[in-house]
């Protein structure tokens, strides 16, 4: 039994309530759940809801959660996807231990159970074409009609089904169907297909099989074989539950699992469907499944979103039966909350403007002490080098600034973060009239950023030392779609945001960034959160913007877009 003290604090929802009641009443001895991805694409943040729920309840109630590949459609499934899914679930922080399964592990058993249904008169081989089957199926308002092949004898059905397995018939020419009720109000019970003929290389069983079970036939039976007690899935499977139960009831399965459905996660300004995400990748609208703009777990990881921030976001969602769209701003805010507490600070200049400190001795450098994270005393300090020539952000200087511009302008004084007060004395323009260099003087008495005479400055700006800074490319990302509900658009590709990526190639970052643990996301002071991209080389760093410092959505809305 789980510790009751832990359960007191645990989240409450109808699924957890059901599990608790089943355990308390002794209907279930020990909780077993599973996360059942189909390996036909990469996992997205919608899947994270299912992963966190399935693995989460297993942890909370002292049970276990399996990872099961629902690999029943070799036409679309690939080893690349299997590997990526395992890596993503692990990255999200969950472990299935020894419990890695595949629906294909059960193909032989499922086949035997299909023969059992045939022998009992509960399944038959149908020769109708796909088109004819659709016509016979009826509609939501009209009952279906029995197939002319429905009354074949069990012996004839067995003979045909074995011939299907032996590869005697072309793909798609026959199917095995459950014999339930063509007049049922639930279309899923109108003699659903259990097996189809398909010659495709399967990532695990290779060319062994020329028939494959459908999701409906494989899923509940795999649950039963693995001893899954609570089979948690999304609402679109609600209408499949009677079929799930019918199969469990009519087969000699070793356990009696139950299915429970909760609402899927949908997020504004993106799409969460493998079909649409596949299209984005295949048609080259993004640079692969792990493009930082993708809502995939691998994309979020590459963008620098920590797994813990995703878990935080998911834990704030309700587990219920109401379909709704969660604002992207909610995910952003979970990411910001997490990084604000955990990310080290660094200095990086995105659009550099040269500064010469004219009263600073030529050739001299200093090592200044800089705090890593004001929100985390354990994060310690680092050294940043300072010298006569620096770079600051172009935006931090104005030739003719308004009064409230608390940065640099002629004769204005600011604090250089961790360093000195400096005053702008002059500036140099190029032939186009663009300011290309500032001349400043520094006050040696203000080392560390405070004046002994109590003099105040309103602005603090970041900088890097010209002699020590490391060149970098910085990639800025915005939302992938311009509209709130691209999934609902007639042509979702047409709603892609043309400005979703901006690449800055002349950035300069403080030298400590060259030596860091490549996986970590840091805050570039005053600019946002960034993480190194795997495209980085030894002489060229590449960073992705994980997220800006402030909520840019409010601003976007204000502009009435
Ligand atoms: P998609 O619709 O994106 O193609 P899927 O449901 O076909 O996804 P599966 O690989 O079958 O993808 O999903 C594995 C599990 O994840 C299923 O139990 C499914 O219910 C769940 N899941 C998929 N998408 C979401 C989502 N958006 N929110 C919550 N759970 C999801
Ligand atoms: Mg699916």
């Amino acid at each position: 039994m789980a510790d009751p003290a832990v359960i007191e604090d645990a989240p409450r929802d109808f699924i957890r309530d059901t599990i608790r009641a089943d355990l308390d009443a002794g209907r279930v001895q020990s909780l077993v759940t599973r996360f059942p991805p189909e390996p036909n694409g990469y996992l997205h943040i919608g899947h994270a809801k299912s992963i966190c729920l399935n693995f989460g309840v297993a942890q909370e109630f002292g049970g276990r959660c399996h990872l099961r590949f629902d690999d029943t459609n070799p036409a679309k499934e690939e080893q690349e996807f299997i590997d990526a899914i395992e890596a993503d679930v692990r990255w999200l922080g969950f472990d299935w231990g020894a419990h890695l399964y595949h629906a294909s592990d059960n193909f032989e058993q499922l086949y035997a159970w299909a023969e059992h249904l045939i022998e009992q008169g509960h399944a038959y081989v149908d020769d109708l074409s796909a088109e004819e089957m659709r016509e016979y199926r009826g509609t939501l308002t009209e009952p279906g009609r029995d197939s002319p092949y429905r009354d074949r004898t069990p012996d004839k059905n067995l003979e045909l089904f074995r011939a299907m397995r032996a590869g005697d018939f072309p793909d798609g020419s026959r199917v095995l169907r459950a014999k339930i009720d063509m007049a049922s109000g639930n279309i899923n019970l109108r003699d659903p297909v259990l097996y189809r003929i398909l010659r495709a290389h399967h990532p695990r069983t290779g060319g062994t099989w020329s028939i494959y079970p459908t999701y409906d036939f494989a899923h509940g039976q795999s649950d039963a074989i693995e001893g899954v007690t609570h089979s948690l899935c999304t609402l679109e499977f609600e209408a499949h539950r009677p079929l799930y139960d019918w199969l469990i009831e009519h087969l000699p399965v070793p356990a009696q699992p139950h299915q429970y459905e909760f609402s899927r996660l949908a997020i504004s300004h993106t799409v969460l469907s493998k079909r649409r995400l596949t299209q984005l990748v295949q048609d080259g609208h993004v640079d692969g499944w792990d493009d930082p703009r993708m809502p995939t777990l691998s994309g979020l990881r590459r963008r620098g979103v920590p797994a813990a921030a995703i878990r935080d976001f998911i834990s704030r969602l309700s587990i219920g039966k109401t379909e709704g769209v969660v604002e992207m701003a909610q995910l952003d805010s979970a990411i910001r909350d997490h990084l604000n507490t955990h990310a080290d600070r660094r200095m990086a200049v995105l659009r550099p403007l040269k500064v010469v400190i004219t009263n600073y001795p030529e050739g001299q450098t200093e090592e200044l002490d800089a705090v890593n994270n004001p929100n985390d005393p354990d994060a310690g300090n680092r050294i940043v080098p300072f010298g006569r020539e620096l770079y600051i952000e172009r935006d931090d200087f104005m030739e003719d600034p308004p009064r409230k511009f608390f940065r640099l302008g002629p004769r204005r004084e600011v604090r250089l973060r961790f360093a000195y007060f400096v005053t702008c004395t002059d500036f140099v323009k190029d032939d186009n009239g663009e300011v290309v260099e500032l001349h400043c003087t520094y006050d040696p008495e203000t080392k560390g950023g405070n004046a002994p005479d109590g003099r105040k400055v309103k602005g603090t700006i970041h900088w890097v030392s010209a002699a020590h800074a490391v060149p970098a490319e910085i990639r800025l990302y915005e939302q992938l779609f311009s509209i709130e509900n691209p999934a609902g658009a007639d042509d979702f590709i047409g709603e892609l945001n043309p400005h979703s990526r901006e690449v800055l190639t002349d950035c300069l970052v403080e030298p400590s960034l060259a030596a860091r643990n490549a996986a970590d996301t840091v805050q570039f002071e005053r600019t946002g959160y960034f993480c190194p991209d795997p495209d980085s080389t030894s002489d060229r760093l590449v960073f992705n913007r994980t997220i800006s410092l402030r909520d840019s959505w409010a601003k976007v809305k204000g502009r009435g877009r």
Side-chain angles (χ1 to χ4, degrees), residues 259-274:
Q259 175 183 301
Y260 302 90
E261 310 86 16
F262 62 96
S263 57
R264 312 169 66 83
L265 171 62
I267 301 184
S268 73
H269 295 90
T270 193
V271 291
L272 294 184
S273 114
K274 277 187 277 185

Side-chain angles (χ1 to χ4, degrees), residues 38 70 215 236-237 274:
E38 182 181 357
D70 169 23
Y215 169 86
E236 70 270 23
F237 294 104
K274 277 187 277 185

Side-chain angles (χ1 to χ4, degrees), residues 34-40 43-44 46-47 49-50 70 232-234 236-237 262-266 272-275:
R34 85 285 168 268
F35 172 63
E38 182 181 357
N40 60 351
L43 297 180
H44 53 64
H47 292 112
K49 180 175 180 184
S50 175
D70 169 23
L232 311 178
C233 61
T234 35
E236 70 270 23
F237 294 104
F262 62 96
S263 57
R264 312 169 66 83
L265 171 62
L272 294 184
S273 114
K274 277 187 277 185
R275 187 177 55 77

Side-chain angles (χ1 to χ4, degrees), residues 75 182 190 217 321 441 452 463 516 542 555:
M182 287 307 291
R190 294 184 190 168
F217 191 59
K321 295 240 179 215
T441 55
W463 52 274
R516 280 184 63 88
V542 178
K555 202 172 67 194

Side-chain angles (χ1 to χ4, degrees), residues 414-434:
V414 297
R415 177 190 292 109
L416 294 180
R417 181 84 164 130
F418 305 122
Y420 296 99
F421 286 10
V422 294
T423 303
C424 178
T425 52
D426 198 7
F427 55 88
V428 181
K429 286 184 169 178
D430 66 8
D431 295 343
N432 302 321
E434 211 184 313

Side-chain angles (χ1 to χ4, degrees), residues 5 15 137 223 227 234 297 360 364 375 408 441-442 447 466 532:
I15 286 181
R137 187 172 293 129
D223 285 341
T234 35
L297 295 182
Y360 195 86
Q364 178 174 316
N375 293 332
L408 271 179
T441 55
Y442 85 118
K447 184 163 178 177

Side-chain angles (χ1 to χ4, degrees), residues 442-484:
Y442 85 118
D443 177 353
E445 298 297 312
T446 58
K447 184 163 178 177
N450 289 304
D453 63 4
R455 176 169 103 252
K456 300 277 181 229
V457 289
K458 282 246 167 71
T460 301
I461 64 174
H462 62 277
W463 52 274
V464 293
S465 157
H468 305 89
V470 179
E473 172 179 317
I474 295 183
R475 301 173 181 167
L476 305 178
Y477 300 103
E478 299 285 344
Q479 75 255 27
L480 185 54
F481 290 94
S482 314
I483 61 165
E484 209 161 301

